[in-house]
Amino acid sequence: MNQVTAEMVEKTPTRIKVSELEFHPLDGVPVITPRMFIIKRYRTQKEESTPYKYLFYPATITDEVAESFKEILSTYIDSISKLETESIPVYHPDLEEFPCYVELTSDSFPYWSHFVNVLKLDYETRAPKNIESNLWGYLFYLRAPYYAIGYAKRLSKTKIVKKKRFLKGGLVDRNIVFNAVEEIDGIEFDDSVDFLFVVEFNKGNPNQVESSWGIIWSKNGFESMLDVYEHQKQKALEVLNRCRTLPSILFDDDLERFKEVVESNRQLHRMLLNPVTEKYMNEVKLEDFKQVKEKFGDEVSFDVDEEQGKVVLPAPDSNREYLKAIREILSVLGARFTKTLNDDHILRGKPEELR
């Protein structure tokens, strides 16, 4: 495979300039209303189109609580401008650099539409029977007439505090002093967020969404909150079906087994959804696998049968080696064994490094 060219990289939208990120003000005119919702997730009936539904329950918050949440939001927004980089990566499932930018669309994240509906001015609220059952997270945002800006955080029921008693006090002038006993009901939380979001509404219709985007700080929290895994699995299998290289270089039995293993492995889904994989997977030839094998020898777990023109996988009963070989084959398809423009060898590259 040829080296990645500068022209190819420029056409790959892998990063966005920090200077292009525009956050709306958190105070001032027009009137900005702080809101908080507790998020619950429920499994749906089999006949429904999605396996889960999200329900959002409004939480009445005092000015003090609202200011605390606003401070967290402001801190994360400010930290973007203080990054020691001119750009941040655009999200894809195989990304390892954070924070990153993400376009929040229902095509990429089917459950995002549930979140957007809550942000509308005409959203009908309801009251829960309790907080802890099916707890999934919380949402805090500031709603202005034509935009909403806020953050989401994944929570579990282990964060629920019920009638927990605390001794208030501590070390005072080298003496241990406890001056009160306090019983607390509530939710344990910290100053971290999973992702920020900005949603723009139509100025003629403040309930019509124009666009939404966000900044991801915790990949695990973001992906869990929006339950992206099944959707990403389907997208990864679509990429796999578009790959013409694998049927040409694998024996039929290996190809079927390969697909079975990929279907049940999230790490392999992420590798297939790496933008570089789809970009180059149909350009790869048997010669590329041969070069990798000659360079790394027994460090890679697949073999090359030149007489039959096939890549040979280890025996399926050696699960660890078999899975390693599949990852290596996907690495070759994703240009991870090729060289960058500065001729640095990449064994496990990412698209952001292929420049």
Coordinates of all heavy atoms in Angstrom, one line a residue, residues 261-349:
V261 N -16.8 -13.7 14.7 CA -16.0 -13.1 15.8 C -16.2 -11.6 15.8 O -16.4 -11.0 16.9 CB -14.5 -13.5 15.7 CG1 -13.7 -12.7 16.7 CG2 -14.3 -14.9 15.8
V262 N -16.2 -11.0 14.7 CA -16.3 -9.5 14.6 C -17.7 -9.1 15.2 O -17.8 -8.1 15.9 CB -16.2 -9.0 13.2 CG1 -16.7 -7.6 13.0 CG2 -14.7 -9.1 12.7
E263 N -18.7 -9.9 14.8 CA -20.1 -9.5 15.2 C -20.2 -9.4 16.7 O -21.0 -8.5 17.2 CB -21.1 -10.5 14.7 CG -22.5 -10.2 15.0 CD -23.5 -11.0 14.2 OE1 -23.1 -12.0 13.6 OE2 -24.7 -10.8 14.3
S264 N -19.5 -10.1 17.5 CA -19.7 -10.1 19.0 C -18.6 -9.4 19.7 O -18.5 -9.5 20.9 CB -19.7 -11.6 19.5 OG -18.5 -12.3 19.2
N265 N -17.8 -8.6 19.0 CA -16.6 -8.0 19.7 C -16.6 -6.5 19.5 O -16.4 -6.0 18.3 CB -15.3 -8.6 19.2 CG -14.1 -8.2 19.9 OD1 -13.7 -7.0 20.0 ND2 -13.5 -9.1 20.6
R266 N -16.8 -5.7 20.5 CA -16.9 -4.2 20.4 C -15.6 -3.6 20.0 O -15.6 -2.6 19.2 CB -17.4 -3.6 21.7 CG -18.8 -3.8 22.1 CD -19.2 -3.1 23.4 NE -20.6 -3.4 23.7 CZ -21.1 -3.0 24.9 NH1 -20.4 -2.4 25.8 NH2 -22.4 -3.3 25.1
Q267 N -14.5 -4.2 20.4 CA -13.2 -3.6 20.0 C -13.1 -3.7 18.4 O -12.6 -2.7 17.8 CB -12.0 -4.3 20.6 CG -10.7 -3.7 20.2 CD -9.5 -4.6 20.7 OE1 -9.7 -5.8 20.9 NE2 -8.4 -4.0 20.8
L268 N -13.5 -4.8 17.9 CA -13.4 -4.9 16.4 C -14.4 -4.0 15.7 O -14.1 -3.5 14.6 CB -13.6 -6.4 16.0 CG -12.7 -7.4 16.7 CD1 -13.0 -8.8 16.2 CD2 -11.2 -7.1 16.4
H269 N -15.6 -3.8 16.3 CA -16.5 -2.8 15.8 C -15.8 -1.5 15.7 O -15.9 -0.8 14.6 CB -17.7 -2.7 16.7 CG -18.5 -3.9 16.8 ND1 -19.4 -4.1 17.9 CD2 -18.5 -5.1 16.2 CE1 -20.0 -5.3 17.8 NE2 -19.4 -5.9 16.8
R270 N -15.1 -1.1 16.8 CA -14.5 0.3 16.8 C -13.4 0.3 15.7 O -13.2 1.4 15.0 CB -13.9 0.5 18.1 CG -14.9 0.7 19.2 CD -14.3 1.3 20.5 NE -13.4 0.4 21.1 CZ -13.7 -0.5 22.1 NH1 -15.0 -0.5 22.5 NH2 -12.9 -1.3 22.6
M271 N -12.6 -0.8 15.5 CA -11.6 -0.8 14.5 C -12.2 -0.6 13.1 O -11.7 0.1 12.2 CB -10.8 -2.1 14.5 CG -9.9 -2.2 15.8 SD -9.0 -3.7 15.9 CE -7.7 -3.3 14.6
L272 N -13.3 -1.3 12.8 CA -14.0 -1.1 11.5 C -14.5 0.3 11.3 O -14.6 0.7 10.2 CB -15.1 -2.2 11.4 CG -14.6 -3.6 11.1 CD1 -15.7 -4.6 11.4 CD2 -14.2 -3.7 9.6
L273 N -14.9 0.9 12.4 CA -15.5 2.2 12.2 C -14.5 3.4 12.3 O -14.8 4.5 12.2 CB -16.5 2.5 13.4 CG -17.8 1.6 13.3 CD1 -18.7 1.7 14.5 CD2 -18.6 1.9 12.0
N274 N -13.2 3.0 12.4 CA -12.1 3.9 12.2 C -12.2 4.5 10.8 O -12.2 3.7 9.8 CB -10.8 3.2 12.5 CG -9.6 4.2 12.5 OD1 -9.5 5.1 11.7 ND2 -8.8 4.1 13.5
P275 N -12.3 5.8 10.6 CA -12.4 6.3 9.2 C -11.3 5.8 8.2 O -11.6 5.7 7.0 CB -12.3 7.8 9.4 CG -12.7 8.1 10.8 CD -12.3 6.9 11.6
V276 N -10.1 5.6 8.7 CA -9.0 5.2 7.9 C -9.3 3.8 7.4 O -8.9 3.4 6.2 CB -7.7 5.3 8.6 CG1 -6.6 4.7 7.8 CG2 -7.4 6.7 8.9
T277 N -9.9 2.9 8.2 CA -10.2 1.5 7.7 C -11.0 1.5 6.5 O -10.7 0.9 5.5 CB -10.8 0.7 8.9 OG1 -10.0 0.7 10.0 CG2 -11.2 -0.7 8.4
E278 N -12.2 2.2 6.5 CA -13.1 2.2 5.4 C -12.4 2.9 4.2 O -12.7 2.6 3.0 CB -14.4 2.9 5.7 CG -15.4 2.8 4.6 CD -16.8 3.0 5.0 OE1 -17.0 3.6 6.1 OE2 -17.7 2.6 4.2
K279 N -11.6 3.9 4.5 CA -10.9 4.7 3.4 C -10.0 3.8 2.5 O -9.9 3.9 1.3 CB -10.2 5.9 4.0 CG -9.6 6.8 2.9 CD -8.9 8.0 3.6 CE -8.4 9.0 2.6 NZ -9.5 9.7 1.9
Y280 N -9.3 2.9 3.2 CA -8.2 2.1 2.6 C -8.4 0.6 2.4 O -7.7 -0.1 1.7 CB -6.9 2.3 3.3 CG -6.4 3.8 3.3 CD1 -6.4 4.5 4.4 CD2 -5.9 4.3 2.1 CE1 -6.0 5.9 4.4 CE2 -5.5 5.6 2.1 CZ -5.6 6.4 3.2 OH -5.2 7.7 3.2
M281 N -9.5 0.1 3.0 CA -9.6 -1.4 3.1 C -9.7 -2.0 1.7 O -9.3 -3.2 1.6 CB -10.8 -1.7 4.0 CG -12.2 -1.3 3.4 SD -13.5 -1.7 4.6 CE -15.0 -1.2 3.6
N282 N -10.3 -1.4 0.8 CA -10.4 -2.0 -0.6 C -9.2 -1.7 -1.5 O -9.2 -2.2 -2.6 CB -11.7 -1.5 -1.2 CG -12.9 -2.1 -0.6 OD1 -12.9 -3.3 -0.2 ND2 -14.0 -1.4 -0.4
E283 N -8.2 -1.0 -0.9 CA -7.0 -0.8 -1.7 C -5.9 -1.9 -1.3 O -4.9 -2.0 -1.9 CB -6.4 0.6 -1.5 CG -7.3 1.7 -1.9 CD -6.7 3.1 -1.7 OE1 -5.5 3.1 -1.4 OE2 -7.5 4.0 -1.7
V284 N -6.1 -2.6 -0.2 CA -5.1 -3.5 0.3 C -5.1 -4.7 -0.5 O -6.1 -5.3 -1.0 CB -5.5 -3.9 1.8 CG1 -4.5 -4.9 2.3 CG2 -5.5 -2.7 2.7
K285 N -3.8 -5.2 -0.8 CA -3.6 -6.4 -1.6 C -2.9 -7.5 -0.7 O -2.4 -7.2 0.4 CB -2.7 -6.1 -2.8 CG -3.3 -4.9 -3.7 CD -4.6 -5.3 -4.2 CE -5.1 -4.1 -5.1 NZ -6.5 -4.3 -5.6
L286 N -2.8 -8.7 -1.2 CA -2.1 -9.7 -0.5 C -0.6 -9.3 -0.2 O -0.1 -9.7 0.8 CB -2.1 -11.0 -1.3 CG -1.5 -12.3 -0.6 CD1 -2.4 -12.7 0.5 CD2 -1.3 -13.4 -1.6
E287 N 0.0 -8.5 -1.1 CA 1.3 -8.1 -1.0 C 1.5 -7.3 0.3 O 2.6 -7.4 1.0 CB 1.8 -7.3 -2.2 CG 3.2 -6.8 -2.2 CD 4.2 -8.0 -2.3 OE1 3.8 -9.0 -2.8 OE2 5.3 -7.8 -1.8
D288 N 0.5 -6.6 0.7 CA 0.6 -5.8 2.0 C 0.7 -6.7 3.2 O 1.5 -6.4 4.1 CB -0.6 -4.9 2.1 CG -0.7 -3.8 1.0 OD1 0.2 -3.0 0.9 OD2 -1.7 -3.8 0.2
F289 N -0.1 -7.8 3.2 CA 0.0 -8.7 4.3 C 1.4 -9.4 4.3 O 2.0 -9.7 5.3 CB -1.1 -9.8 4.2 CG -2.5 -9.2 4.4 CD1 -3.2 -8.7 3.4 CD2 -3.0 -9.1 5.7 CE1 -4.5 -8.1 3.6 CE2 -4.2 -8.6 6.0 CZ -5.0 -8.1 4.9
K290 N 1.9 -9.7 3.1 CA 3.2 -10.4 3.0 C 4.3 -9.5 3.5 O 5.2 -10.0 4.2 CB 3.4 -10.7 1.5 CG 4.8 -11.4 1.2 CD 5.0 -11.6 -0.3 CE 6.4 -12.1 -0.5 NZ 6.7 -12.3 -2.0
Q291 N 4.2 -8.2 3.2 CA 5.2 -7.3 3.7 C 5.2 -7.2 5.2 O 6.3 -7.1 5.9 CB 5.0 -5.9 3.1 CG 5.4 -5.8 1.6 CD 5.1 -4.5 1.0 OE1 4.7 -3.5 1.7 NE2 5.3 -4.4 -0.3
V292 N 4.0 -7.1 5.8 CA 3.9 -7.1 7.3 C 4.4 -8.3 7.9 O 5.2 -8.3 8.9 CB 2.4 -6.9 7.7 CG1 2.2 -7.0 9.2 CG2 1.9 -5.5 7.3
K293 N 4.1 -9.5 7.3 CA 4.6 -10.7 7.8 C 6.1 -10.8 7.7 O 6.8 -11.3 8.7 CB 4.0 -11.9 7.1 CG 4.3 -13.3 7.7 CD 3.8 -13.4 9.1 CE 4.1 -14.8 9.7 NZ 3.6 -14.9 11.1
E294 N 6.7 -10.4 6.6 CA 8.2 -10.4 6.5 C 8.8 -9.5 7.5 O 9.9 -9.8 8.0 CB 8.5 -10.0 5.0 CG 8.2 -11.1 4.0 CD 8.4 -10.6 2.6 OE1 8.7 -9.4 2.4 OE2 8.4 -11.4 1.7
K295 N 8.2 -8.3 7.8 CA 8.8 -7.3 8.7 C 8.7 -7.8 10.1 O 9.7 -7.6 10.9 CB 8.1 -6.0 8.5 CG 8.8 -4.9 9.3 CD 8.2 -3.5 9.0 CE 8.9 -2.4 9.7 NZ 10.3 -2.2 9.4
F296 N 7.6 -8.3 10.5 CA 7.3 -8.6 11.9 C 7.4 -10.1 12.3 O 7.5 -10.5 13.5 CB 6.0 -8.1 12.4 CG 5.9 -6.6 12.3 CD1 5.3 -5.9 11.2 CD2 6.4 -5.8 13.3 CE1 5.3 -4.6 11.2 CE2 6.4 -4.4 13.3 CZ 5.8 -3.8 12.2
G297 N 7.4 -11.0 11.3 CA 7.6 -12.4 11.5 C 6.6 -13.0 12.5 O 5.4 -12.8 12.3
D298 N 7.1 -13.6 13.5 CA 6.2 -14.3 14.5 C 5.4 -13.3 15.4 O 4.6 -13.7 16.2 CB 6.9 -15.3 15.3 CG 7.4 -16.5 14.5 OD1 6.8 -16.7 13.4 OD2 8.4 -17.2 14.9
E299 N 5.8 -12.0 15.3 CA 5.1 -11.0 16.1 C 3.6 -10.9 15.7 O 2.8 -10.5 16.5 CB 5.8 -9.7 16.1 CG 7.1 -9.6 16.8 CD 7.7 -8.2 16.8 OE1 6.9 -7.3 17.0 OE2 8.9 -8.1 16.5
V300 N 3.3 -11.2 14.4 CA 2.0 -11.2 14.0 C 1.5 -12.7 13.9 O 2.3 -13.6 13.6 CB 1.8 -10.5 12.6 CG1 2.0 -9.0 12.7 CG2 2.7 -11.1 11.6
S301 N 0.2 -12.9 14.1 CA -0.3 -14.3 14.3 C -0.9 -14.9 13.0 O -1.2 -16.1 13.0 CB -1.4 -14.3 15.4 OG -0.9 -13.9 16.6
F302 N -1.0 -14.1 11.9 CA -1.4 -14.7 10.7 C -0.3 -15.1 9.9 O 0.9 -14.7 10.1 CB -2.4 -13.8 9.9 CG -1.7 -12.5 9.5 CD1 -0.8 -12.5 8.4 CD2 -1.9 -11.3 10.1 CE1 -0.2 -11.3 7.9 CE2 -1.3 -10.1 9.7 CZ -0.4 -10.1 8.6
D303 N -0.5 -16.0 8.9 CA 0.5 -16.4 7.9 C 0.0 -16.1 6.5 O -1.2 -15.8 6.3 CB 0.8 -17.9 8.0 CG 1.6 -18.3 9.3 OD1 2.6 -17.7 9.5 OD2 1.2 -19.2 10.0
V304 N 0.9 -16.2 5.6 CA 0.5 -15.9 4.2 C 0.9 -17.1 3.3 O 2.1 -17.6 3.3 CB 1.3 -14.6 3.6 CG1 0.9 -14.4 2.2 CG2 0.9 -13.4 4.4
D305 N -0.1 -17.7 2.6 CA 0.1 -18.8 1.7 C 0.2 -18.2 0.3 O -0.8 -17.9 -0.3 CB -1.1 -19.8 1.8 CG -0.8 -21.0 1.0 OD1 -0.1 -21.0 0.0 OD2 -1.4 -22.1 1.4
E306 N 1.4 -18.0 -0.2 CA 1.6 -17.4 -1.5 C 1.1 -18.2 -2.6 O 0.7 -17.7 -3.6 CB 3.1 -17.0 -1.7 CG 3.6 -15.9 -0.7 CD 4.9 -15.4 -1.1 OE1 5.1 -14.9 -2.2 OE2 5.9 -15.6 -0.2
E307 N 1.3 -19.6 -2.5 CA 0.8 -20.5 -3.6 C -0.7 -20.3 -3.8 O -1.1 -20.3 -5.0 CB 1.2 -21.9 -3.2 CG 2.7 -22.2 -3.3 CD 3.0 -23.7 -3.1 OE1 2.0 -24.5 -3.0 OE2 4.1 -24.0 -3.0
Q308 N -1.4 -20.3 -2.7 CA -2.9 -20.2 -2.9 C -3.4 -18.7 -2.9 O -4.5 -18.4 -3.1 CB -3.6 -21.0 -1.9 CG -3.3 -22.5 -1.9 CD -4.2 -23.3 -1.0 OE1 -5.4 -23.4 -1.3 NE2 -3.7 -23.9 0.0
G309 N -2.5 -17.8 -2.6 CA -2.8 -16.4 -2.6 C -3.8 -16.0 -1.4 O -4.7 -15.3 -1.6
K310 N -3.5 -16.6 -0.2 CA -4.4 -16.4 0.9 C -3.7 -16.0 2.2 O -2.5 -16.4 2.3 CB -5.3 -17.7 1.2 CG -6.2 -18.1 0.0 CD -7.3 -17.2 -0.2 CE -8.3 -17.7 -1.3 NZ -9.4 -16.7 -1.6
V311 N -4.4 -15.3 3.0 CA -3.9 -15.1 4.4 C -4.5 -16.2 5.3 O -5.7 -16.5 5.2 CB -4.4 -13.7 4.9 CG1 -4.0 -13.5 6.4 CG2 -3.7 -12.6 4.1
V312 N -3.7 -16.8 6.1 CA -4.1 -18.0 6.8 C -4.2 -17.6 8.3 O -3.2 -17.1 8.9 CB -3.1 -19.1 6.7 CG1 -3.6 -20.4 7.5 CG2 -2.9 -19.5 5.2
L313 N -5.3 -17.9 8.9 CA -5.5 -17.6 10.3 C -5.1 -18.8 11.2 O -5.2 -19.9 10.7 CB -7.0 -17.3 10.6 CG -7.5 -16.0 10.0 CD1 -9.1 -15.9 10.1 CD2 -6.9 -14.8 10.7
P314 N -4.8 -18.6 12.4 CA -4.5 -19.7 13.3 C -5.7 -20.6 13.6 O -6.8 -20.2 13.2 CB -3.9 -19.1 14.6 CG -4.4 -17.7 14.5 CD -4.6 -17.3 13.1
A315 N -5.5 -21.7 14.2 CA -6.7 -22.6 14.5 C -7.6 -21.8 15.4 O -7.2 -21.2 16.4 CB -6.2 -23.8 15.2
P316 N -9.0 -22.0 15.1 CA -10.0 -21.2 16.0 C -9.9 -21.6 17.4 O -10.4 -20.8 18.3 CB -11.3 -21.7 15.3 CG -10.9 -22.1 13.9 CD -9.6 -22.7 14.0
D317 N -9.4 -22.8 17.8 CA -9.5 -23.2 19.2 C -8.4 -22.5 20.0 O -8.5 -22.5 21.2 CB -9.3 -24.7 19.3 CG -8.0 -25.2 18.6 OD1 -7.3 -24.4 18.1 OD2 -7.8 -26.5 18.7
S318 N -7.5 -21.8 19.3 CA -6.5 -21.0 20.0 C -7.1 -19.5 20.1 O -6.7 -18.7 19.3 CB -5.1 -21.0 19.4 OG -5.2 -20.6 18.0
N319 N -8.0 -19.3 21.0 CA -8.9 -18.1 20.9 C -8.1 -16.8 21.0 O -8.3 -15.9 20.2 CB -9.9 -18.2 22.1 CG -10.9 -19.2 21.9 OD1 -11.3 -19.5 20.8 ND2 -11.4 -19.7 23.0
R320 N -7.1 -16.8 21.8 CA -6.3 -15.6 22.0 C -5.5 -15.2 20.7 O -5.5 -14.1 20.2 CB -5.3 -15.7 23.2 CG -4.5 -14.4 23.4 CD -3.6 -14.5 24.6 NE -4.4 -14.7 25.8 CZ -3.9 -14.7 27.1 NH1 -2.6 -14.7 27.2 NH2 -4.7 -14.9 28.1
E321 N -4.9 -16.2 20.1 CA -4.1 -16.0 18.9 C -5.0 -15.7 17.7 O -4.7 -14.9 16.9 CB -3.2 -17.2 18.6 CG -2.0 -17.4 19.5 CD -1.0 -16.2 19.3 OE1 -0.6 -15.9 18.1 OE2 -0.7 -15.5 20.3
Y322 N -6.2 -16.4 17.7 CA -7.1 -16.2 16.6 C -7.6 -14.7 16.7 O -7.7 -14.0 15.6 CB -8.3 -17.1 16.8 CG -9.1 -17.3 15.5 CD1 -8.8 -18.1 14.5 CD2 -10.3 -16.5 15.4 CE1 -9.6 -18.2 13.3 CE2 -11.1 -16.6 14.3 CZ -10.7 -17.5 13.2 OH -11.5 -17.6 12.1
L323 N -8.0 -14.3 17.9 CA -8.5 -12.9 18.0 C -7.4 -11.9 17.7 O -7.7 -10.9 17.0 CB -9.1 -12.7 19.4 CG -9.7 -11.3 19.7 CD1 -10.8 -11.0 18.7 CD2 -10.1 -11.2 21.1
K324 N -6.2 -12.2 18.1 CA -5.0 -11.3 17.8 C -4.8 -11.2 16.3 O -4.6 -10.1 15.7 CB -3.8 -11.8 18.5 CG -2.5 -11.0 18.2 CD -1.4 -11.6 19.1 CE -0.1 -10.8 18.8 NZ 0.5 -11.1 17.5
A325 N -5.0 -12.3 15.6 CA -4.8 -12.3 14.1 C -5.9 -11.5 13.4 O -5.6 -10.8 12.5 CB -4.8 -13.8 13.6
I326 N -7.1 -11.6 13.9 CA -8.2 -10.8 13.4 C -7.9 -9.3 13.5 O -8.1 -8.5 12.6 CB -9.5 -11.2 14.0 CG1 -9.9 -12.6 13.5 CG2 -10.6 -10.2 13.6 CD1 -11.2 -13.1 14.1
R327 N -7.4 -8.9 14.8 CA -7.1 -7.5 15.0 C -6.0 -7.1 14.0 O -6.0 -5.9 13.5 CB -6.7 -7.3 16.4 CG -7.8 -7.4 17.4 CD -7.4 -6.7 18.8 NE -6.2 -7.4 19.3 CZ -6.2 -8.4 20.2 NH1 -7.4 -8.9 20.6 NH2 -5.1 -8.9 20.7
E328 N -5.0 -7.9 13.8 CA -3.9 -7.6 12.9 C -4.4 -7.4 11.5 O -3.9 -6.6 10.8 CB -2.8 -8.6 13.0 CG -2.1 -8.6 14.4 CD -1.3 -9.9 14.7 OE1 -1.4 -10.9 14.0 OE2 -0.6 -9.8 15.7
I329 N -5.3 -8.3 11.1 CA -5.8 -8.2 9.7 C -6.5 -6.9 9.5 O -6.4 -6.1 8.5 CB -6.7 -9.4 9.4 CG1 -5.8 -10.6 9.2 CG2 -7.5 -9.1 8.1 CD1 -6.6 -11.9 9.0
L330 N -7.3 -6.5 10.5 CA -8.0 -5.2 10.5 C -7.0 -4.1 10.5 O -7.3 -3.0 10.0 CB -9.0 -5.1 11.6 CG -10.3 -6.0 11.5 CD1 -11.2 -5.8 12.7 CD2 -11.0 -5.7 10.2
S331 N -5.9 -4.3 11.2 CA -4.9 -3.2 11.3 C -4.3 -3.0 9.9 O -4.0 -1.9 9.5 CB -3.8 -3.6 12.3 OG -4.3 -3.6 13.6
V332 N -4.1 -4.1 9.2 CA -3.5 -3.9 7.8 C -4.6 -3.2 6.9 O -4.2 -2.3 6.2 CB -3.1 -5.3 7.2 CG1 -2.7 -5.2 5.8 CG2 -2.1 -6.0 8.0
L333 N -5.8 -3.6 7.1 CA -6.9 -3.0 6.3 C -7.0 -1.5 6.6 O -7.3 -0.7 5.7 CB -8.2 -3.7 6.6 CG -8.4 -5.1 6.1 CD1 -9.8 -5.6 6.5 CD2 -8.2 -5.2 4.6
G334 N -6.7 -1.1 7.8 CA -6.8 0.2 8.3 C -5.5 1.0 8.2 O -5.3 2.1 8.8
A335 N -4.5 0.5 7.4 CA -3.3 1.2 7.2 C -2.4 1.4 8.4 O -1.6 2.3 8.5 CB -3.5 2.6 6.5
R336 N -2.6 0.6 9.4 CA -1.9 0.8 10.7 C -0.5 0.3 10.6 O 0.3 0.5 11.6 CB -2.7 0.1 11.8 CG -4.1 0.7 12.0 CD -4.8 0.1 13.1 NE -6.1 0.6 13.2 CZ -6.8 0.7 14.4 NH1 -6.2 0.5 15.5 NH2 -8.0 1.2 14.3
F337 N -0.1 -0.5 9.6 CA 1.2 -0.9 9.5 C 2.0 -0.1 8.4 O 3.1 -0.5 8.1 CB 1.3 -2.4 9.1 CG 0.9 -3.3 10.2 CD1 -0.4 -3.8 10.3 CD2 1.8 -3.7 11.2 CE1 -0.8 -4.6 11.4 CE2 1.4 -4.6 12.2 CZ 0.1 -5.0 12.3
T338 N 1.4 0.9 7.8 CA 2.0 1.7 6.8 C 2.8 2.8 7.5 O 2.9 2.9 8.7 CB 1.0 2.3 5.8 OG1 0.1 3.1 6.6 CG2 0.3 1.2 5.1
K339 N 3.4 3.6 6.7 CA 4.3 4.7 7.3 C 3.6 6.1 7.1 O 2.9 6.3 6.1 CB 5.6 4.7 6.6 CG 6.4 3.4 7.0 CD 7.8 3.4 6.3 CE 8.6 2.2 6.7 NZ 10.0 2.2 6.1
T340 N 3.9 7.0 8.0 CA 3.4 8.3 7.9 C 4.3 9.1 6.9 O 5.4 8.6 6.5 CB 3.4 9.0 9.3 OG1 4.8 9.0 9.7 CG2 2.6 8.3 10.2
L341 N 4.0 10.3 6.7 CA 4.8 11.2 5.8 C 6.2 11.4 6.3 O 7.1 11.5 5.5 CB 4.1 12.5 5.6 CG 2.8 12.5 4.7 CD1 2.2 13.9 4.6 CD2 3.2 12.0 3.3
N342 N 6.4 11.4 7.6 CA 7.7 11.6 8.1 C 8.4 10.3 8.3 O 9.4 10.2 9.0 CB 7.7 12.4 9.5 CG 6.9 11.7 10.5 OD1 6.5 10.5 10.4 ND2 6.6 12.4 11.7
D343 N 7.9 9.2 7.8 CA 8.5 7.9 7.7 C 8.7 7.2 9.1 O 9.5 6.4 9.3 CB 9.9 8.0 7.1 CG 10.3 6.7 6.4 OD1 9.4 6.1 5.8 OD2 11.5 6.4 6.4
D344 N 7.8 7.7 10.0 CA 7.8 7.0 11.3 C 6.9 5.8 11.2 O 5.8 5.9 10.8 CB 7.3 7.9 12.4 CG 8.2 9.0 12.7 OD1 9.4 8.8 12.5 OD2 7.8 10.1 13.2
H345 N 7.4 4.6 11.7 CA 6.6 3.4 11.5 C 5.5 3.4 12.6 O 5.7 3.7 13.7 CB 7.4 2.2 11.7 CG 6.7 0.9 11.4 ND1 6.0 0.2 12.4 CD2 6.4 0.3 10.2 CE1 5.4 -0.8 11.8 NE2 5.6 -0.8 10.5
I346 N 4.3 3.0 12.2 CA 3.2 2.9 13.1 C 2.7 1.4 13.2 O 2.4 0.8 12.2 CB 2.0 3.7 12.6 CG1 2.3 5.2 12.7 CG2 0.7 3.4 13.4 CD1 1.2 6.1 12.3
L347 N 2.8 0.9 14.4 CA 2.3 -0.4 14.6 C 0.8 -0.4 14.9 O 0.0 -1.2 14.4 CB 3.0 -1.1 15.7 CG 2.6 -2.5 16.1 CD1 2.7 -3.5 14.9 CD2 3.4 -3.1 17.3
R348 N 0.4 0.6 15.7 CA -1.0 0.7 16.1 C -1.4 2.2 15.9 O -1.6 2.8 16.9 CB -1.2 0.2 17.5 CG -0.8 -1.2 17.7 CD -1.2 -1.8 19.0 NE -0.9 -3.2 19.1 CZ -1.4 -4.0 19.9 NH1 -2.3 -3.6 20.7 NH2 -1.0 -5.3 20.0
G349 N -1.5 2.6 14.7 CA -1.8 4.0 14.5 C -3.3 4.3 14.6 O -4.1 3.5 14.6

